Amino acid sequence: MGRLSIALVLVVATVVPSMAQSPLALSSEIETGWTSNATDSATGGADFYVTHSHDMALTGSAGNLLLRGSLALTQTRFASLKFEDDAEVTGAIEAQLALGAATLRLGYAVTQSWTGDDLSIGGLAIPVRSVASEHEYVAEFTLRGVDQQVIVAVTGDWVLPGDSVLGELGLPPLRLTPQVGSVAGRVDWERALSPGLAVLAGMEAWFTLVPEAERIVYARAPVDGGRVSAGFRLADGGWSAEGKGGVDLVWPGG
């Protein structure tokens, strides 16, 4: 649920351990305020809210191997419009292996979300409660030379929506959105022409995956695309500027 409305923040608190180089990092943030449109819709009303988020990360190393695990929790609660309450939990693990001039990074994250929203019909707002899970994957290989470097990366994302409950209409739970996956691959190349000037080039391709049986039911067609770009980076002391130009190509599936 997004809030593109006027909000007054009353309290913001952050807690971060002061231990330098600690393998365990903890942070918490609490925000409370007032919004003029809690549902972010034409039928929305004003309400007070509280948002709190907590992050925990644990890092360890063994030789050239670096491991990092993290757990994050975010929750939003409203004073009156309880059906707009949201919650999200994310767990992630990442491994990085240094092999001389090369670095290999692998990662995986899973997010479980419980989202509150509303369906506006005329002047009536019907509460909608939905659940979903998302799986993210990343594999990245970096090779560095004296005056250049190449990065090859592949990322994947798969969203698995669950059933939604529509207020008190008496309807059985039903899924309102399709399963959607995406895979993207990219190659970035950078070479230094002088101490303050580098040439940049990159290629990228992405593919969207929607199960065949759900394309018609949810009117969702997959879209594939690609990108080719090139540019320069200027750097001098404490400032840098980068400019790129390129071409995007998009192929709608159906």
Side-chain angles (χ1 to χ4, degrees):
M1 179 210 62
R3 290 193 305 277
L4 301 177
S5 56
I6 301 173
L8 175 63
V9 177
L10 300 179
V11 178
V12 176
T14 304
V15 180
V16 179
S18 59
M19 296 177 59
Q21 304 299 324
S22 172
L24 179 63
L26 301 172
S27 67
S28 294
E29 181 174 321
I30 300 175
E31 174 185 309
T32 181
W34 172 85
T35 175
S36 61
N37 190 346
T39 63
D40 194 21
S41 65
T43 58
D47 202 356
F48 289 93
Y49 68 90
V50 175
T51 297
H52 62 96
S53 59
H54 313 278
D55 295 274
M56 178 181 68
L58 181 62
T59 304
S61 61
N64 296 331
L65 179 63
L66 178 67
L67 294 174
R68 183 177 186 272
S70 63
L71 182 65
L73 167 66
T74 301
Q75 194 175 53
T76 299
R77 289 290 180 264
F78 288 87
S80 300
L81 303 175
K82 298 294 187 181
F83 63 85
E84 285 287 340
D85 293 350
D86 296 334
E88 184 176 278
V89 179
T90 299
I93 185 170
E94 181 179 318
Q96 182 173 302
L97 179 63
L99 302 170
T103 302
L104 176 64
R105 184 171 68 93
L106 302 173
Y108 168 73
V110 58
T111 300
Q112 183 69 35
S113 60
W114 298 264
T115 305
D117 210 336
D118 70 287
L119 180 64
S120 298
I121 300 179
L124 179 65
I126 301 175
V128 179
R129 296 293 302 172
S130 304
V131 298
S133 61
E134 181 176 1
H135 301 264
E136 300 173 82
Y137 310 84
V138 61
E140 182 179 279
F141 178 77
T142 303
L143 181 62
R144 295 181 175 87
V146 177
D147 59 353
Q148 61 183 321
Q149 74 171 15
V150 176
I151 299 176
V152 180
V154 177
T155 58
D157 184 90
W158 193 256
V159 179
L160 302 173
D163 290 338
S164 298
V165 178
L166 278 68
E168 304 297 332
L169 298 182
L171 298 175
L174 70 160
R175 186 152 57 89
L176 300 177
T177 57
Q179 299 179 5
V180 178
S182 65
V183 178
R186 65 180 176 89
V187 178
D188 292 323
W189 174 73
E190 177 180 332
R191 180 167 184 174
L193 301 179
S194 69
L197 177 62
V199 61
L200 313 172
M203 295 186 298
E204 184 178 357
W206 56 86
F207 308 90
T208 306
L209 311 172
V210 180
E212 190 73 29
E214 302 190 7
R215 297 183 185 182
I216 297 177
V217 174
Y218 295 98
R220 182 69 178 270
V223 176
D224 303 330
R227 172 179 300 161
V228 179
S229 62
F232 295 92
R233 179 190 297 119
L234 294 173
D236 185 13
W239 67 271
S240 65
E242 184 176 308
K244 282 185 178 182
V247 177
D248 282 6
L249 301 175
V250 178
W251 297 275

